[in-house]
Amino acid sequence: MTNSVDPNAEKQTQEATTNEVESVASEQAEPQNETSSDKPLELQVAELQAALAHAQQEAATEKDKALRIAAEAENVRRRSAQEVEKARNFALEKFAGELLSVIDNLERGLAAIDPNDESTKAIAEGIEMTYKGFMTTIEKFGMEAVHPEGSPFDPQLHQAMGMQESADVPANTVLQVMQKGYLLNGRLLRPAMVMVSRAPTEGVDVQA
């Protein structure tokens, strides 16, 4: 008796076997693919350290830029303040310089009046009051007189108009103030015109 084989059954058996093999191969391949895609820990750490160093460098660069901008802004502010101060001082110096002739005229007027003359006493008192009030006012704005009689000659503050021998004071002493000088906030507005002493030449052998 001959056994007959169903062709359909044999085909189904082969397909089932093929599917099992592919399934097993797929299960084995998946963990291998997953493992191969993961980076080593050392490499990950190195990449993170490189990223951190880059971020720190960028932060340092931005901080340096911010400091330079702040420094430049401070320099601009300081220069602007200096320019404003210079302009103010220039305007004040020019105005104060114009006042000096008024002060000189008041002083000449007082010097020309005889204090013992009763007919001009009231005029003298009026001029003196005006002069004192004027001087008090300019002092409030930083002006002060340079009246160095009896002081050593200072070329930074005084202008020598001549020299005179004197045995009573040391050489280079201011003997007489011919015109007062004035300072404005510590800066020279006008030097004092003075007569300066020099040592006597009597009894000194000047022959070569």
Side-chain angles (χ1 to χ4, degrees):
M1 184 176 181
T2 304
N3 294 329
S4 61
V5 179
D6 187 354
N8 293 330
E10 184 176 0
K11 183 177 181 182
Q12 293 176 357
T13 301
Q14 291 176 354
E15 290 177 356
T17 302
T18 301
N19 292 335
E20 290 178 1
V21 172
E22 291 178 353
S23 177
V24 171
S26 177
E27 291 176 357
Q28 293 177 351
E30 287 179 359
Q32 290 177 357
N33 293 336
E34 184 179 352
T35 302
S36 62
S37 63
D38 291 340
K39 296 180 181 178
L41 180 61
E42 292 81 359
L43 182 57
Q44 295 181 23
V45 171
E47 290 180 348
L48 289 174
Q49 289 177 340
L52 177 61
H54 180 69
Q56 290 176 336
Q57 180 63 33
E58 287 187 344
T61 301
E62 293 301 321
K63 181 180 179 180
D64 184 63
K65 289 181 180 179
L67 290 175
R68 287 202 301 269
I69 292 173
E72 182 62 24
E74 177 62 21
N75 290 335
V76 171
R77 185 198 65 78
R78 187 181 297 111
R79 286 195 297 268
S80 298
Q82 290 174 349
E83 291 299 324
V84 171
E85 183 67 15
K86 286 180 181 179
R88 188 185 73 85
N89 288 339
F90 176 76
L92 188 58
E93 286 180 6
K94 186 176 181 181
F95 176 71
E98 295 295 328
L99 296 179
L100 296 182
S101 60
V102 178
I103 297 173
D104 293 340
N105 288 334
L106 288 173
E107 290 178 345
R108 292 190 190 99
L110 287 173
I113 296 175
D114 184 0
N116 298 319
D117 188 349
E118 291 294 331
S119 63
T120 58
K121 183 176 181 181
I123 297 175
E125 290 177 351
I127 295 176
E128 186 173 3
M129 289 179 61
T130 302
Y131 174 74
K132 290 182 178 179
F134 197 81
M135 296 300 294
T136 301
T137 300
I138 65 172
E139 287 173 0
K140 292 179 181 179
F141 291 90
M143 284 183 64
E144 58 179 314
V146 178
H147 197 287
E149 186 170 347
S151 301
F153 175 75
D154 184 352
Q156 300 296 326
L157 299 176
H158 314 148
Q159 180 178 349
M161 304 304 293
M163 300 191 74
Q164 181 178 332
E165 294 182 2
S166 176
D168 299 327
V169 297
N172 295 321
T173 298
V174 175
L175 292 175
Q176 180 184 0
V177 178
M178 304 166 69
Q179 186 181 64
K180 292 180 183 178
Y182 285 89
L183 298 173
L184 178 61
N185 294 322
R187 298 177 59 182
L188 184 64
L189 186 62
R190 185 180 76 181
M193 296 182 181
V194 299
M195 182 67 68
V196 184
S197 67
R198 67 182 179 187
T201 57
E202 295 180 3
V204 177
D205 186 3
V206 295
Q207 298 296 325

